[in-house]
């Protein structure tokens, strides 16, 4: 795709400021993945939008492991429907995330177990999650986490050795969910011209397409691929304006990526692009006077429920003493769209997925 000349100058700026806090992850509660029978098997690839346990907990807690500590999981409900407050499950949210809501549409209780938390040579009947927080589509030297191709290769090996069976593949759905870590500052240093940037964006989206093709060749019957959400509306970008306005450059970058993604996916069968960009915008950055009912439920759309006291800190950060908390948490997370500086609350994801549920169900269920 050729970028419009008027846009080229802006793209260089936006990619150098586009910094979606690449270090993210989240795992899934254990047990109860198939409380009721589902005819689908679900395989999840991506980054912190869908990770439910593939990054390990650490002591002390760090930015890369905070999803395993309070206040993450503070609204957790177990597989039997009982509230288990303050039960971090590895997700970057107060409860469920993108992959959980999609799993629910397929008759599962939640996203399938994380690969890292699953015994070797086994695969849960519901499937498996390979997504790892901080991962990119392309391999990065900034985080030692598996990029998309590595995640797909792990899946391939499990198919080839029979751990993932032909029966599981016969009605399988894969989710490929990335949030823009490839466009974080350290990954785009050295891209000094608009042509370089354009080529880089094309490289990212073509790599997604290549791995989608690989999943289909391995026997996955349907693939869901999310486009980029409006990165400029995340609290990490809106904090500089006291959480009042979205960053147009961040959103422009996401739009360019999304246009490229649409082009490389257009001709593919059994592939569906999940338009999270529009679903987010409808809530957090809607046109003046166009506020939807879903948008009205959130008192705070651009500010986080869990906010670091330091602009360079993170939710869940502790001081030298574990009793010293370097963040604040809101009283009612249901009134906030964002949980922390990058990720939606459970209520936020629920509002997003309500908009996307009907076409998603139709795609998954079509013969």
């Amino acid at each position: 795709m050729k970028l419009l000349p008027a846009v080229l100058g802006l793209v260089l700026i936006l990619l150098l400021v586009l910094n979606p806090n690449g270090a993210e992850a989240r795992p899934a509660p254990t047990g109860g993945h198939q409380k009721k029978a589902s005819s689908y098997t679900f395989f999840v690839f991506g980054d912190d939008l869908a990770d439910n346990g593939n990054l390990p907990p650490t002591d002390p807690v760090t930015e890369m492991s905070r999803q395993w500590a309070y206040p993450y999981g503070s609204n957790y409900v177990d597989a039997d429907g009982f509230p288990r407050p303050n039960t971090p499950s590895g997700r970057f949210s107060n409860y469920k995330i993108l992959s959980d809501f999609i799993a629910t549409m397929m008759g599962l209780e939640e996203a399938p177990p994380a690969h890292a938390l699953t015994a070797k040579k086994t695969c849960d009947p519901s499937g498996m999650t390979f997504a790892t927080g901080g991962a990119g589509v392309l391999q990065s030297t900034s985080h030692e986490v598996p990029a998309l191709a590595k995640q797909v290769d792990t899946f391939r090996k499990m198919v080839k050795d029979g751990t993932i069976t032909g029966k599981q593949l016969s009605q399988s759905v894969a989710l490929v969910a990335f949030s823009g870590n490839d466009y974080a500052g350290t990954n785009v240093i050295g891209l000094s011209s608009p042509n370089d940037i354009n080529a880089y964006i094309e490289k990212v989206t073509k790599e997604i397409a290549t791995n989608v093709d690989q999943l289909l060749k391995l026997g996955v019957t349907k693939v869901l691929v999310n486009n980029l959400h409006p990165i400029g509306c995340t609290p990490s970008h809106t904090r500089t304006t006291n959480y009042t306005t979205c960053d147009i450059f961040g959103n422009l970058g996401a739009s360019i990526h999304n246009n490229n993604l649409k082009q490389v996916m257009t001709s593919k069968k059994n592939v569906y692009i999940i338009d999270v960009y529009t679903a987010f915008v409808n809530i957090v950055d809607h046109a003046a006077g166009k506020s939807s009912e879903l948008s009205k439920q959130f008192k705070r759309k651009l500010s986080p429920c869990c906010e670091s006291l330091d602009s360079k800190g993170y939710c869940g950060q502790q001081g030298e003493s574990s009793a010293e908390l370097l963040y604040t948490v809101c009283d009612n997370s249901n009134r906030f769209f964002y949980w922390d500086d990058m990720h939606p609350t459970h209520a936020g994801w629920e509002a997003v997925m309500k908009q996307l549920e009907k076409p998603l169900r139709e795609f998954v269920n079509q013969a």
Side-chain angles (χ1 to χ4, degrees):
M1 184 186 83
K2 301 299 182 184
L3 299 178
L4 295 175
V7 170
L8 292 177
L10 297 177
V11 178
L12 177 59
I13 299 173
L14 77 90
L15 282 178
L16 293 177
V17 300
L18 196 60
N19 182 21
N21 283 6
E24 314 295 354
R26 30 219 145 140
T30 56
H33 294 278
Q34 265 189 313
K35 186 177 178 181
K36 54 184 178 181
S38 170
S39 59
Y40 297 105
T41 309
F42 192 28
F43 298 103
V44 182
F45 306 85
D47 62 11
D48 37 295
L49 286 188
D51 182 355
N52 63 353
N54 284 311
L55 280 184
T58 61
D59 186 14
V61 172
T62 68
E63 187 173 9
M64 289 289 281
S65 66
R66 68 190 192 269
Q67 68 278 12
W68 286 109
Y70 179 84
Y72 290 86
S74 53
N75 294 94
Y76 177 64
V77 177
D78 70 15
D80 295 314
F82 295 107
R84 299 284 179 86
N86 306 332
T87 307
S89 64
R91 293 163 170 79
F92 269 76
S93 186
N94 56 318
Y95 183 22
K96 289 187 176 181
I97 55 173
L98 171 66
S99 51
D100 293 306
F101 283 100
I102 294 176
T104 301
M105 295 177 195
M106 292 187 283
L108 303 170
E109 285 297 315
E110 60 192 21
H115 175 258
L117 302 179
T118 304
K120 290 183 178 180
K121 300 294 183 180
T122 63
C123 181
D124 192 84
S126 67
M128 185 169 286
T129 295
F130 300 89
T132 306
V137 174
L138 306 176
Q139 189 61 52
S140 169
T141 57
S142 60
H143 300 300
E144 294 182 3
V145 294
L148 175 58
K150 179 65 174 176
Q151 294 176 26
V152 172
D153 189 55
T154 301
F155 171 78
R156 179 189 64 80
K157 290 175 181 176
M158 295 181 73
V159 171
K160 296 302 182 184
D161 70 15
T163 302
I164 294 173
T165 66
K167 182 178 180 181
Q168 286 180 302
L169 290 172
S170 66
Q171 282 194 288
S172 57
V173 177
L175 169 66
V176 178
F178 283 90
S179 61
N181 290 325
D182 293 277
Y183 303 125
T186 55
N187 293 346
V188 296
I189 290 174
L191 301 180
S192 57
S193 73
N195 286 337
D196 288 343
I197 295 167
N198 189 30
Y200 182 74
I201 293 173
E202 289 182 350
K203 186 177 181 180
V204 171
T205 53
K206 285 180 180 178
E207 179 71 2
I208 294 174
T210 296
N211 282 280
V212 167
D213 287 339
Q214 176 75 349
L215 289 171
L216 292 169
K217 287 177 182 178
L218 288 168
V220 173
T221 57
K222 292 175 182 175
V223 181
L224 308 171
V225 182
N226 74 291
N227 62 12
L228 282 186
H229 60 290
I231 293 170
C233 292
T234 57
S236 62
H237 284 264
T238 62
R239 185 167 183 158
T240 56
T241 62
N242 197 29
Y243 306 119
T244 57
T245 57
C246 297
D247 171 25
I248 60 172
F249 295 114
N251 289 355
L252 175 61
S255 295
I256 294 169
H257 170 97
N258 293 345
N259 287 336
N260 273 273
L261 183 68
K262 186 175 181 179
Q263 287 192 2
V264 297
M265 293 295 174
T266 297
S267 62
K268 297 186 186 302
K269 293 182 179 179
N270 298 318
V271 177
Y272 180 84
I273 295 178
I274 306 173
D275 188 9
V276 295
Y277 185 93
T278 299
F280 271 59
V281 165
N282 287 344
I283 297 170
V284 300
D285 194 30
H286 51 77
K290 300 287 186 178
S291 180
S292 66
E293 289 303 314
L294 286 173
S295 177
K296 290 176 182 176
Q297 80 178 69
F298 298 103
K299 182 179 180 181
R300 302 291 180 88
K301 303 178 182 67
L302 301 178
S303 56
C305 171
C306 182
E307 181 178 13
S308 170
L309 301 180
D310 182 347
S311 62
K312 295 182 179 180
Y314 54 88
C315 170
Q317 186 174 10
Q318 300 173 355
E320 293 184 6
S321 164
S322 59
E324 183 186 7
L325 305 182
L326 304 180
Y327 62 91
T328 59
V329 184
C330 68
D331 292 330
N332 185 359
S333 62
N334 289 333
R335 302 291 285 163
F336 284 70
F337 180 80
Y338 286 105
W339 168 248
D340 59 14
D341 59 349
M342 282 301 301
H343 310 97
T345 57
H346 173 92
W349 274 124
E350 186 173 40
V352 165
M353 298 313 293
K354 275 183 179 179
Q355 301 173 70
L356 302 170
E357 182 172 2
K358 183 178 179 181
L360 259 176
R361 282 186 183 275
E362 289 175 354
F363 171 76
V364 169
N365 292 330
Q366 69 186 10

